[in-house]
Amino acid sequence: MKTLFIGAYGFGNLGDELVLKEAIEAFPSDKVWVRTVSKKFTGRFIKCDGFLDWEPAHPDKNFKLNFDRVVIGGGGIINGPPGRDYMQWIVAAQNSGCETHIHNVGASGSNDSWWISPEIRNAFENLTSFSVRDVDSLDKMRRWGIKRDISLTNFPETNLLKDLSLTHLLPEGKLLGISIVNDNAFFKAINVSKEKINEILSDYKGMKIVPIISTVHLFAEQENDILGFKRFADMFLQDFEIVFQETLDKEWWYENMSPEKLKGIISKCEVLISRRKHNCVHGISSGVKTIGISRTEDNGVQSVFDSLLDILPPGSKSVRISE
């Protein structure tokens, strides 16, 4: 079985490379090919037989694909323009006679279904299998009129093994992990909710801060967690000691960090405060008290807590802030 895996791979988001690893395990293949925007980045984390060029962004329906199976493998990508573009690959795959699967995806974002053309709707119905990662995504699919069977995975990435090889860089003592995005809408909500954020942090005075950097996007500054952490630190962390500062160096991060090593670092924290969904997944699955922070308009982080309710460590919670 020769399988092509497609998703938001190679952009500098360890969460997306994590879901690729899980998808490859979920769909054993004789030959594994991956479509990625950066062969160098994705190639650090997986073994495969070949890479497919990123372009075209959304192929024509008659674009020929020489694979037995095509899998959209995870990530919050089935919505809006990205959903349209990825589904065009499914349309082309089905027209090429490939078996097609959508696995462990999210549908974060707008409730608007404008992007689902009759051709894409038909492609959804003709999938060999279809699974989403959370109930919010399942509800969206139903509201959009996708009638076929859809299974719920509940973030199987919880099973990722951790790599502790970087934890020697952490000091002794209690550690508070902080994972923040560099999104302006999020910081607008943060500015309005300063009192709430300070109240949360006041419970952890004296802990050393570990920056948890899971995304340093190749193109988008709003997806650069190093910049997001620094903005947050300037606002709230003046009285804390920040450790593991190697991870705030872009070159070091690209050379050293992986999904497994990131989970290893998180597992050594006493508490994790995170805006990143997959860092919440790492914290919860490692038994770390995890506090998710997100805007009320964004259900992504909340969906992790809802999906992993049965294994939430004591004291874990999702905190919603609004503009």
Side-chain angles (χ1 to χ4, degrees):
M1 177 73 75
K2 182 181 179 184
T3 305
L4 171 65
F5 292 87
I6 60 177
Y9 311 138
F11 287 95
N13 185 329
L14 292 179
D16 289 322
E17 308 306 313
L18 167 62
V19 295
L20 170 60
K21 291 171 70 72
E22 191 282 329
I24 291 172
E25 291 179 5
F27 292 86
S29 307
D30 299 316
K31 298 286 185 180
V32 170
W33 281 64
V34 176
R35 176 179 177 254
T36 175
V37 76
S38 173
K39 299 171 185 178
K40 180 180 179 181
F41 186 74
T42 299
R44 289 185 52 225
F45 312 119
I46 57 112
K47 293 180 180 180
C48 67
D49 298 284
F51 292 105
L52 196 68
D53 290 338
W54 189 258
E55 297 296 337
H58 49 278
D60 180 83
K61 65 181 180 180
N62 294 318
F63 186 84
K64 184 64 178 175
L65 289 168
N66 186 28
F67 297 93
D68 302 308
R69 180 168 61 185
V70 174
V71 178
I72 293 181
I77 57 177
I78 303 299
N79 199 335
R84 175 199 60 199
D85 292 350
Y86 287 111
M87 284 304 298
Q88 283 299 130
W89 283 88
I90 294 296
V91 170
Q94 291 175 353
N95 288 339
S96 297
C98 305
E99 185 180 300
T100 55
H101 302 261
I102 297 180
H103 172 69
N104 188 37
V105 298
S108 302
S110 170
N111 290 321
D112 195 340
S113 62
W114 65 265
W115 59 277
I116 304 180
S117 65
E119 187 176 59
I120 287 176
R121 188 174 299 279
N122 186 61
F124 274 124
E125 300 301 336
N126 288 329
L127 290 164
T128 305
S129 71
F130 188 8
S131 63
V132 296
R133 65 191 184 188
D134 56 68
V135 171
D136 181 58
S137 298
L138 183 60
D139 289 345
K140 274 196 174 72
M141 292 296 162
R142 296 307 184 212
R143 287 199 298 272
W144 293 339
I146 308 302
K147 299 175 182 178
R148 57 155 300 124
D149 290 340
I150 304 173
S151 58
L152 194 60
T153 59
N154 289 317
F155 294 92
E157 307 92 285
T158 53
N159 296 318
L160 179 77
L161 297 177
K162 54 181 176 279
D163 179 341
L164 300 176
S165 62
L166 292 180
T167 58
H168 69 281
L169 297 172
L170 299 175
E172 296 293 327
K174 292 185 176 183
L175 304 175
L176 171 61
I178 301 283
S179 167
I180 299 294
V181 298
N182 192 39
D183 178 70
N184 287 331
F186 177 70
F187 269 94
K188 185 177 180 181
I190 285 284
N191 274 314
V192 173
S193 305
K194 282 183 179 179
E195 185 175 338
K196 181 180 287 188
I197 300 301
N198 280 317
E199 182 181 341
I200 292 171
L201 290 169
S202 68
D203 291 335
Y204 308 112
K205 290 290 187 184
M207 286 191 181
K208 296 172 182 178
I209 301 295
V210 179
I212 303 298
I213 309 300
S214 63
T215 301
V216 184
H217 202 281
L218 287 178
F219 312 116
E221 280 201 352
Q222 70 268 23
E223 291 289 326
N224 184 325
D225 291 2
I226 294 174
L227 298 179
F229 176 85
K230 289 178 177 179
R231 286 173 73 178
F232 187 84
D234 287 343
M235 294 174 67
F236 297 106
L237 303 180
Q238 298 297 321
D239 296 331
F240 289 85
E241 179 185 357
I242 299 173
V243 300
F244 189 46
Q245 296 201 32
E246 294 89 342
T247 198
L248 296 176
D249 179 84
K250 180 178 179 178
E251 290 185 5
W252 185 95
W253 186 88
Y254 265 98
E255 290 174 4
N256 291 278
M257 197 55 73
S258 71
E260 294 89 346
K261 291 176 183 176
L262 185 65
K263 185 172 183 176
I265 293 294
I266 290 172
S267 74
K268 293 298 183 180
C269 294
E270 184 96 1
V271 181
L272 171 69
I273 297 174
S274 177
R275 168 58 185 84
R276 286 281 181 196
K277 292 184 287 292
H278 277 106
N279 293 339
C280 291
V281 171
H282 290 326
I284 292 167
S285 62
S286 297
V288 173
K289 178 182 176 180
T290 300
I291 299 172
I293 298 181
S294 61
R295 296 186 304 134
T296 53
E297 298 86 354
D298 184 349
N299 288 324
V301 170
Q302 182 64 50
S303 74
V304 172
F305 284 78
D306 293 341
S307 299
L308 303 181
L309 185 62
D310 291 345
I311 62 169
L312 285 184
S316 296
K317 60 183 178 180
S318 172
V319 176
R320 314 297 294 273
I321 57 176
S322 61
E323 299 174 18

